[in-house]
Amino acid sequence: MGDPAPPLDLGEILGILPPATLVVDGVNRIRFANDAAERLLERSQRRLARCRLEDIVGRSGALVGLAARARVSGGGVIGEADMTLPTRDDVRMSAQAVAVDGAPGHVAICITQWAFGTRDDRRREVQGAALSARGLAAMLAHEIKNPLSGVRGAAQLLEASASGETAGLPELIIAEVDRIRALVDELETFTNPATAEAGPENIHALLNHVLDLARAGVAADVAIQTRFDPSLPPVLGQRDRLIQVFLNLIKNAAEAAGAHTGGDARITLTTAYRPGYAIRPRQGELAGRRALPLEITVADNGPGVPEHLIDHIFDPFVSDKAQGGGLGLAVAAKYVADHDGLIECRNTETGALFRVLLPSAPLDPADPSDKDQAP
């Protein structure tokens, strides 16, 4: 037999891995970074060795929590995180953290980019789709609604004298005209600018109102679970439009889950405080950044969004439902954009998840109730 192979060096193994890989110790000091991590974080390993994990991943703390879970489990865990990189805005990453055998407290973290583009890029895409639809809606509303009224009036006159095989035709015409008119009314949403001023709104009172509406209508046959963070500050928004945003999202979730779960349709509505998120406001690219700490998610147990549609799910007239008009999510995206917010969609292991990030209302130092609502 030949000489035994020399023991493998952990650093050499991790150094050749394609994903960006870090090793942190029990207090999250960075002990190792491979070449891919240096490129991703745009720092040398020498500079990274002077940092803790909290120093390089922004304030979301998702990677920090992932490392802690790996230490507790003694194995591997998988999760997602939004990282603020040196020359880019928040970028969604997938990460796997694994406890290092033989090195108590040490965790290896492999990071891969989950979606290309920045949050600002995705917000601009949504706003661009909404602006295109706004021009189309203005034209359609003007050109279609007046002739529709004439067609409906003529059908009503015919209805009084119709008989035999044609007796049901005027009623059919009226029903179809009403359906087209409702579609045009929905399109007109895009032509209406945000006129009401945004103000502080209790997000949970607003969501509970939405749930009352949904349970009495669009989600009457769906089990809805809530997971609310009671410490959230008020949202800065327009009540009516925010109600429409979340009603549309719940309607979409109810339709997706109800059509595929055989009577076991479920929706989970969650709120949380995420202080690490910020985007540039619509008014000027140099106007600083607006924090979006309020996160509301709507998750369903349906089949998820088809992969070929997921990048266009907020575009007008895009729908994976046979009877869908493709406007509900576009309306929601427009209203979120009007709030300088962000809306995203992704598939999970259990269905589709829609996430809305919104600004909080400025706290009023003179109002003691504000102090109670601050997280």
Side-chain angles (χ1 to χ4, degrees):
M1 295 180 63
D3 294 333
L8 293 174
D9 179 76
L10 179 62
E12 292 180 2
I13 298 173
L14 298 179
I16 62 174
L17 290 178
T21 303
L22 303 171
V23 177
V24 297
D25 63 16
V27 293
N28 287 334
R29 285 193 299 266
I30 297 174
R31 296 301 191 183
F32 172 82
N34 67 356
D35 292 344
E38 290 180 317
R39 290 193 298 272
L40 175 69
L41 301 172
E42 301 179 25
R43 304 184 195 185
S44 67
Q45 181 165 187
R46 178 175 296 181
R47 286 185 62 196
L48 289 170
R50 298 196 293 266
C51 301
R52 295 179 59 170
L53 188 59
E54 294 90 331
D55 299 329
I56 65 167
V57 297
R59 293 175 289 173
S60 70
L63 282 185
V64 177
L66 205 65
R69 287 165 53 198
R71 290 190 189 97
V72 172
S73 68
V77 293
I78 298 174
E80 295 172 0
D82 292 281
M83 297 177 57
T84 303
L85 302 179
T87 58
R88 282 176 281 176
D89 297 319
D90 288 349
V91 179
R92 170 63 57 82
M93 298 289 178
S94 288
Q96 181 173 8
V98 182
V100 178
D101 190 29
H106 285 60
V107 175
I109 304 172
C110 294
I111 307 166
T112 55
Q113 189 161 326
W114 180 78
F116 294 97
T118 67
R119 292 185 174 280
D120 285 329
D121 291 336
R122 293 198 292 276
R123 179 174 61 97
R124 291 188 192 100
E125 290 172 2
V126 170
Q127 287 178 329
L131 286 171
S132 297
R134 191 176 302 175
L136 175 63
M139 178 188 69
L140 286 175
H142 177 73
E143 298 295 333
I144 293 178
K145 292 186 80 171
N146 287 339
L148 280 179
S149 297
V151 172
R152 195 182 196 282
Q156 286 176 317
L157 292 175
L158 290 173
E159 188 175 23
S161 58
S163 61
E165 294 182 357
T166 63
L169 293 181
E171 183 180 353
L172 177 63
I173 293 171
I174 292 170
E176 285 301 291
V177 167
D178 288 343
R179 184 180 65 83
I180 296 171
R181 189 179 183 89
L183 180 63
V184 175
D185 286 341
E186 201 168 355
L187 273 171
E188 281 191 299
T189 300
F190 290 99
T191 70
N192 297 330
T195 54
E197 289 190 10
E201 294 287 344
N202 184 313
I203 187 63
H204 294 126
L206 187 149
L207 291 175
N208 283 325
H209 178 70
V210 170
L211 290 175
D212 289 341
L213 296 174
R215 287 170 175 148
V218 297
D221 300 322
V222 179
I224 303 179
Q225 179 182 14
T226 59
R227 297 174 181 169
F228 290 167
D229 178 351
S231 68
L232 293 189
V235 65
L236 180 63
Q238 300 171 10
R239 177 179 173 80
D240 290 344
R241 295 207 163 189
L242 288 179
I243 287 173
Q244 195 63 51
V245 167
F246 296 110
L247 191 60
N248 286 6
L249 291 179
I250 289 176
K251 178 178 183 290
N252 178 79
E255 291 173 348
H260 296 273
T261 56
D264 187 31
R266 297 188 306 277
I267 296 173
T268 302
L269 183 63
T270 303
T271 64
Y273 192 78
R274 307 294 187 198
Y277 299 133
I279 61 172
R280 293 184 181 91
R282 290 170 295 157
Q283 301 300 323
E285 294 299 311
L286 300 178
R289 300 179 65 79
R290 166 167 285 187
L292 302 175
L294 303 187
E295 177 190 80
I296 303 95
T297 63
V298 179
D300 63 64
N301 66 334
V305 179
E307 289 301 320
H308 70 284
L309 292 181
I310 199 163
D311 289 335
H312 306 282
I313 196 64
F314 299 112
D315 293 353
F317 309 113
V318 172
S319 176
D320 62 334
K321 304 179 183 68
Q323 303 300 320
L327 285 173
L329 293 180
V331 169
K334 176 190 181 295
Y335 285 174
V336 171
D338 286 345
H339 284 77
D340 279 333
L342 181 70
I343 186 169
E344 299 176 321
C345 171
R346 64 183 174 88
N347 289 325
T348 68
E349 294 180 358
T350 56
L353 183 145
F354 288 81
R355 175 162 68 165
V356 176
L357 299 172
L358 293 169
S360 61
L363 295 180
D364 182 358
D367 184 352
S369 65
D370 275 342
K371 299 177 182 178
D372 296 334
Q373 297 184 69

